[in-house]
Amino acid sequence: MANKPCTDTPCACSIDDSKRNFLTRVTTTFGVLGAACAALPFIRSMTPADNVKALATLEVDLTEIPEGSNKTYLWRGKPVFIWHRNAQQIADAKKADASDQLLDPQTDAERVQNEKYLVVMGVCTHLGCVPIQGGEHGGWRCPCHGSQFDNSGRLRRGPASTNLEIPPYAFIDDTTIKIG
Amino acid sequence: MANIPPKKVEEDIIRQPYRWLEDRLPIISFIDNAVGRGYLAPKNLNYLWNFGSLAGIALVIQILTGLFLAMHYKADVNLAFDSVQHIMRDVQGGWLIRNLHMVGASFFFIVVYAHIARGLYYGSYKKPREVLWWFGIVIFLIMMATAFLGYVLPWGQMSFWGATVITNLLSVIPFIGDDVVIWLWGGYSVGDPTLTRFYALHFLLPFVIVGLVVIHIWALHMHGSNNPTGIDLKKKSEAIPFHPYYTIKDVFGLGVYLIPFCFMVFYLPEALGHTDNYIPADPMVTPAHIVPEWYFLPFYAILRAIPIKELGVVAMFGSILILFILPWLDRSPVRSARYRPWFRQMVYIFIASVFALGYLGSQPPEGIYVIMSQFFTAVYFGFFLLLPLVAKLETPKPLPKEIT
Amino acid sequence: MRFLLFSFIALLLAPAAFAGGAVEVEKHDWDFQGLPKEWDKDQLYRGYAVATQVCMTCHGMKYINHRQLMDVGFTEAEVKAMAAELNMSINDKLVSGLEPEDAKELYGKEVPDLSLINKARAGLADYTYAVLVGYSEDPDEIHHALPDGVPEGAYYNRAFPGHAIAMPSPLTGPDLVEYHDETEASIEQMAKDVTYFLQWTAEPELLERKKLGVYVLLYLLIFTVLAYLTKRAIWRDVH
């Protein structure tokens, strides 16, 4: 039944057909493009809303963290550890730079902007649990599967495979950082 | 599918998987037979026949936009109003999706009203399409329920008082009315439980409509589309395949539809709404003029035209339910109003009365407006009640031999 | 074909016929009507000054915070300074210091939030402006509108439905606020500026919406013409 009723004018058919096919193709392409554009706002509506984005940066006053101790902040729904390290802890971290026990080798200098303050995500790089302070390397250990991190947040024992992540941050002044 | 062209390598890439699937689940040919090359439609359908497919598209637009709104909306009396503002302000492109949904509801009704009017004028409800007509009415009823439920969700003043007034209508049910209303509310007034269940139902009903639309189309396929002449097709040459003829015509119609629709979405999104609905719901203060959404106004006018509450409610529901027996009220053997001079005038008057009732429904129920509402309510029902008589007395014009 | 035409006209008339009536207020040409390119930052700033220094004594604008002003041309430093002046962070909602219960005691009714006021009253922006400049102490005018006198605790206002409003005139005299620019802070100017600001708080998406609409409609026009041509080509040999 797909035959077109054009038997009366067989000669006109081929010209008509090509014009028809061309127009059909143009309209279809144009329509599909439009539909694709129309899909964008729907996809975009699922990305973070403005009020969520507004909380995407966090300013932290570092003076509220006493030397030698560690404080946890919530940033983008995840914990961030900020550790105000004392001289001994900094020295330990630097000493380990050359150690062959680092599973994901990185120097301490690569991981801090100001060596007094270590800022790392409090999210184990294995499966996302929050590590707790302790372990054999002066840093953290993960309660879920036993990964261990040193006082530069570097991985010392698996099953995780990378160091604790460093969130993007910047010093606004000597005692304030802006995360995100 | 009868004559398979000589095998080519390129074609096999398409044809082989097609045959493989066809052998296991003939879904492609099913669709092709439903709305593709396999469905033969009269070749003389005019543009009023576009409203069927447009209604389908309007439904899809509502479901899609509704789904994405549902990802941000909160059905809680303390959060609902704010969550709508969250959609309008914070959600990326949220305002667009909400405007589409809001204006889309109005346009869905415009399309469906046109679709019903077309069926009325060309006698599409008549034998053998009565069940098709019935399912159309059921879809219309559920659509009205869905729209009503949806209007409650923004939890503005009109949402709240509209819900209060409409649910109170059910209290006229003898003996159990008051209990039914309390059951519906889940409390002693419209409140949090009401909002939450209305949201659940508002989400569900569109999918019920989808199911009913499938049945509607199934029934349509039993005897095919009616046509402007109202006569049955006699020759195969009077029919053309739905695809590509009516698909492209529907695509063109869609473009024509989307232009005013998008104009409203981008430039007059609130024109069909009510300012009071931007005031959060307040159970202590009723707005000065409660007016339902425009698409309910004709029925609202019928409700208010009759001074006895119970009778008003019966008349309002009756004004739609009477459509169910329309095929038996109108026993004329001729379908299309084209060949029925009296009926044709009656349809015009009937449609004019619906418009008049719509206008009256938006006016305060006082003085002349009440009397006019009563008059046009009489016209509305008079149309149906006169039909048996007209069918007997009217002399139809001669019918054409074949469709034109 | 006549029926087709009839239906088409009917469809066009339907929404117009069913639209409800609005309060009669004088109409103004606001520059957010039509197709403006962007919000007038200076006027927004002036309106913001009136809104925060006058309106916010009692009213809140809870859907608005200072950060959102960055969407209409204010820099981060500017909004931080503006917020600091109100002892707020840039993410704090603009809420009034007046507690709702105290407001109720003071005025006998709840004080409405202003974020959406330009969308929530018949007459829209024109109404907001009309109320702000609608106060009068002319005894003849008051007597004409309210023969029984102004009820206790209310004030005469010519734009307010019923003419007795619970809100005392907020713009009591000129120079109530100090503008950042040379504009003279007359009562009319302040009313105009704050109405402008409240239009933005009511519809922050307004300009984005109108801009996007142009492209969408342009696309649809082309698409519809293409679809029509294709339809004509395909239907050529039917009939």
Side-chain angles (χ1 to χ4, degrees):
Chain A
M1 273 326 296
N3 295 343
K4 284 147 197 133
C6 59
T7 41
D8 311 339
T9 52
C11 327
C13 250
S14 56
I15 302 164
D16 270 6
D17 268 352
S18 69
K19 187 182 169 194
R20 203 176 352 225
N21 289 339
F22 174 72
L23 271 169
T24 307
R25 232 169 265 155
V26 171
T27 308
T28 310
T29 313
F30 200 66
V32 169
L33 278 176
C37 291
L40 288 179
F42 291 91
I43 296 165
R44 222 164 67 88
S45 75
M46 289 170 72
T47 62
D50 283 349
N51 62 327
V52 177
K53 278 189 185 165
L55 303 177
T57 59
L58 175 74
E59 285 181 20
V60 178
D61 178 7
L62 295 174
T63 57
E64 62 188 41
I65 311 170
E67 195 180 61
S69 76
N70 174 44
K71 234 177 147 172
T72 308
Y73 294 86
L74 193 69
W75 172 70
R76 293 190 183 174
K78 289 175 184 166
V80 172
F81 298 146
I82 303 182
W83 190 356
H84 187 169
R85 300 187 295 188
N86 59 29
Q88 180 60 48
Q89 288 159 337
I90 297 170
D92 286 350
K94 284 191 168 164
K95 205 160 70 190
D97 281 353
S99 160
D100 58 359
Q101 284 176 28
L102 297 180
L103 299 174
D104 179 13
Q106 238 183 347
T107 63
D108 187 57
E110 287 174 297
R111 296 180 54 79
V112 291
Q113 294 181 22
N114 172 340
E115 61 181 22
K116 280 187 181 164
Y117 297 101
L118 174 72
V119 182
V120 289
M121 294 298 300
V123 178
C124 178
T125 52
H126 178 220
L127 290 170
C129 297
V130 178
I132 46 182
Q133 273 198 298
E136 295 152 22
H137 303 277
W140 295 269
R141 70 180 179 81
C142 181
C144 292
H145 304 96
S147 297
Q148 296 208 7
F149 302 90
D150 67 14
N151 47 21
S152 187
R154 287 173 296 199
L155 181 68
R156 290 303 188 87
R157 195 206 286 171
S161 55
T162 56
N163 299 335
L164 287 180
E165 205 186 314
I166 307 212
Y169 69 94
F171 277 84
I172 300 176
D173 54 48
D174 286 348
T175 56
T176 318
I177 61 165
K178 184 174 165 184
I179 306 174
Chain B
M1 296 306 109
N3 42 3
I4 298 157
K7 271 195 172 183
K8 282 188 209 157
V9 183
E10 302 91 61
E11 283 199 334
D12 274 354
I13 295 168
I14 309 219
R15 282 198 164 253
Q16 275 188 350
Y18 169 74
R19 282 210 213 89
W20 182 89
L21 181 65
E22 198 64 15
D23 189 39
R24 285 152 183 83
L25 179 73
I27 188 165
I28 297 174
S29 61
F30 176 79
I31 293 169
D32 197 44
N33 283 328
V35 289
R37 288 164 299 180
Y39 178 52
L40 293 179
K43 65 180 184 183
N44 64 335
L45 302 184
N46 64 30
Y47 277 103
L48 283 171
W49 262 264
N50 277 58
F51 287 104
S53 72
L54 277 182
I57 289 168
L59 175 63
V60 170
I61 291 177
Q62 289 310 94
I63 289 179
L64 268 180
T65 50
L67 173 70
F68 283 85
L69 290 175
M71 296 179 188
H72 304 284
Y73 172 76
K74 295 190 173 68
D76 177 309
V77 290
N78 295 313
L79 305 172
F81 191 90
D82 287 349
S83 73
V84 173
Q85 284 309 310
H86 167 66
I87 291 169
M88 292 299 283
R89 292 159 193 272
D90 299 329
V91 174
Q92 312 299 333
W95 59 267
L96 175 58
I97 297 173
R98 173 160 182 258
N99 286 0
L100 285 167
H101 198 70
M102 208 165 62
V103 177
S106 277
F107 270 68
F108 195 2
F109 273 97
I110 293 177
V111 165
V112 165
Y113 282 134
H115 188 60
I116 296 172
R118 191 269 292 152
L120 196 64
Y121 188 83
Y122 295 110
S124 301
Y125 50 85
K126 290 194 181 186
K127 187 185 158 191
R129 297 188 181 85
E130 301 95 323
V131 175
L132 170 62
W133 176 254
W134 280 352
F135 272 95
I137 303 164
V138 174
I139 291 170
F140 177 52
L141 285 169
I142 297 185
M143 186 183 151
M144 290 173 97
T146 311
F148 161 70
L149 295 169
Y151 195 61
V152 177
L153 304 185
W155 208 242
Q157 275 288 66
M158 279 294 164
S159 300
F160 181 86
W161 291 101
T164 300
V165 169
I166 301 298
T167 48
N168 263 318
L169 290 179
L170 296 176
S171 66
V172 303
I173 300 171
F175 310 115
I176 54 163
D178 290 336
D179 293 327
V180 167
V181 175
I182 289 172
W183 170 76
L184 201 62
W185 287 338
Y188 302 100
S189 64
V190 172
D192 198 53
T194 325
L195 177 63
T196 312
R197 65 189 58 182
F198 276 20
Y199 179 51
L201 291 171
H202 182 71
F203 204 109
L204 167 74
L205 290 184
F207 297 98
V208 174
I209 294 179
V210 169
L212 291 167
V213 166
V214 171
I215 296 176
H216 193 63
I217 295 174
W218 183 8
L220 171 73
H221 277 67
M222 291 309 291
H223 295 278
S225 300
N226 185 25
N227 70 79
T229 64
I231 61 172
D232 291 325
L233 270 55
K234 295 186 185 65
K235 289 185 292 184
K236 273 210 159 170
S237 64
E238 291 177 316
I240 45 177
F242 193 84
H243 180 75
Y245 294 101
Y246 285 109
T247 39
I248 185 62
K249 196 175 177 183
D250 283 342
V251 166
F252 168 55
L254 175 65
V256 174
Y257 168 77
L258 287 179
I259 290 171
F261 175 54
C262 285
F263 181 80
M264 296 283 290
V265 165
F266 288 101
Y267 297 101
L268 294 167
E270 310 290 348
L272 296 169
H274 203 291
T275 48
D276 276 336
N277 224 29
Y278 284 103
I279 304 171
D282 181 354
M284 312 278 273
V285 184
T286 309
H289 298 289
I290 309 188
V291 182
E293 290 290 85
W294 69 267
Y295 37 79
F296 291 136
L297 287 174
F299 309 104
Y300 190 58
I302 291 174
L303 169 76
R304 296 191 308 180
I306 293 162
I308 304 158
K309 181 184 171 189
E310 287 78 3
L311 223 58
V313 176
V314 170
M316 184 180 73
F317 286 113
S319 66
I320 297 168
L321 296 180
I322 199 168
L323 292 169
F324 278 108
I325 57 163
L326 178 62
W328 293 273
L329 290 173
D330 177 11
R331 303 302 300 262
S332 168
V334 179
R335 289 199 190 99
S336 172
R338 265 192 194 173
Y339 310 104
R340 299 185 59 192
W342 292 13
F343 176 72
R344 182 186 177 127
Q345 299 308 322
M346 284 171 68
V347 174
Y348 281 128
I349 294 170
F350 174 75
I351 293 173
S353 77
V354 174
F355 272 87
L357 285 168
Y359 169 74
L360 293 164
S362 70
Q363 298 303 314
E366 309 154 348
I368 184 76
Y369 296 126
V370 177
I371 297 165
M372 282 166 68
S373 300
Q374 289 165 346
F375 172 75
F376 284 108
T377 302
V379 174
Y380 184 102
F381 285 102
F383 168 77
F384 293 100
L385 301 179
L386 280 176
L387 277 177
L389 207 63
V390 170
K392 269 207 184 100
L393 299 178
E394 180 185 50
T395 319
K397 292 187 202 166
L399 292 173
K401 290 216 166 48
E402 53 182 277
I403 63 168
T404 46
Chain C
M1 217 49 203
R2 261 193 16 224
F3 181 61
L4 223 165
L5 205 73
F6 171 83
S7 327
F8 184 67
I9 294 168
L11 281 182
L12 286 182
L13 290 177
F18 296 162
V23 175
E24 286 299 321
V25 288
E26 201 189 328
K27 292 207 164 25
H28 297 271
D29 283 330
W30 299 98
D31 90 354
F32 46 76
Q33 293 162 340
L35 281 176
K37 282 205 177 61
E38 49 196 288
W39 293 95
D40 178 345
K41 187 183 159 190
D42 282 323
Q43 189 164 15
L44 275 183
Y45 201 177
R46 294 196 301 268
Y48 164 86
V50 181
T52 50
Q53 290 170 40
V54 182
C55 307
M56 254 173 66
T57 317
C58 303
H59 295 275
M61 282 153 276
K62 65 172 176 176
Y63 298 118
I64 298 299
N65 62 40
H66 283 84
R67 178 184 291 276
Q68 289 160 329
L69 284 165
M70 283 160 62
D71 298 338
V72 288
F74 290 84
T75 64
E76 186 167 355
E78 281 172 332
V79 296
K80 273 191 171 161
M82 287 155 79
E85 210 143 293
L86 301 170
N87 289 323
M88 286 179 168
S89 98
I90 59 169
N91 288 328
D92 286 343
K93 298 171 178 176
L94 292 185
V95 287
S96 166
L98 186 68
E99 295 293 325
E101 301 87 53
D102 296 341
K104 208 156 182 175
E105 200 154 303
L106 220 58
Y107 299 111
K109 58 188 285 188
E110 265 168 55
V111 176
D113 185 87
L114 293 185
S115 320
L116 277 165
I117 203 80
N118 277 15
K119 270 176 112 172
R121 298 288 184 275
L124 310 174
D126 290 322
Y127 173 79
T128 305
Y129 177 79
V131 165
L132 288 174
V133 300
Y135 290 88
S136 167
E137 280 168 13
D138 175 10
D140 291 341
E141 187 186 338
I142 296 176
H143 182 73
H144 183 74
L146 298 168
D148 299 333
V150 183
E152 194 167 339
Y155 303 84
Y156 169 76
N157 189 299
R158 64 180 83 92
F160 189 74
H163 301 298
I165 190 169
M167 170 173 76
S169 175
L171 302 174
T172 44
D175 298 318
L176 213 57
V177 294
E178 201 174 314
Y179 279 154
H180 70 288
D181 53 15
E182 308 290 286
T183 313
E184 202 183 315
S186 66
I187 291 181
E188 287 75 18
Q189 187 62 43
M190 289 190 289
K192 205 170 269 182
D193 291 340
V194 78
T195 303
Y196 189 83
F197 179 74
L198 290 174
Q199 188 64 30
W200 172 72
T201 65
E203 295 188 294
E205 85 288 359
L206 183 92
L207 298 191
E208 190 191 350
R209 176 167 58 110
K210 288 186 170 183
K211 271 186 249 176
L212 186 58
V214 174
Y215 298 111
V216 172
L217 288 176
L218 219 59
Y219 168 83
L220 284 174
L221 272 173
I222 299 171
F223 173 74
T224 307
V225 169
L226 278 176
Y228 177 70
L229 293 176
T230 313
K231 188 252 166 193
R232 222 177 45 172
I234 288 178
W235 277 73
R236 178 149 301 179
D237 20 61
V238 182
H239 301 305

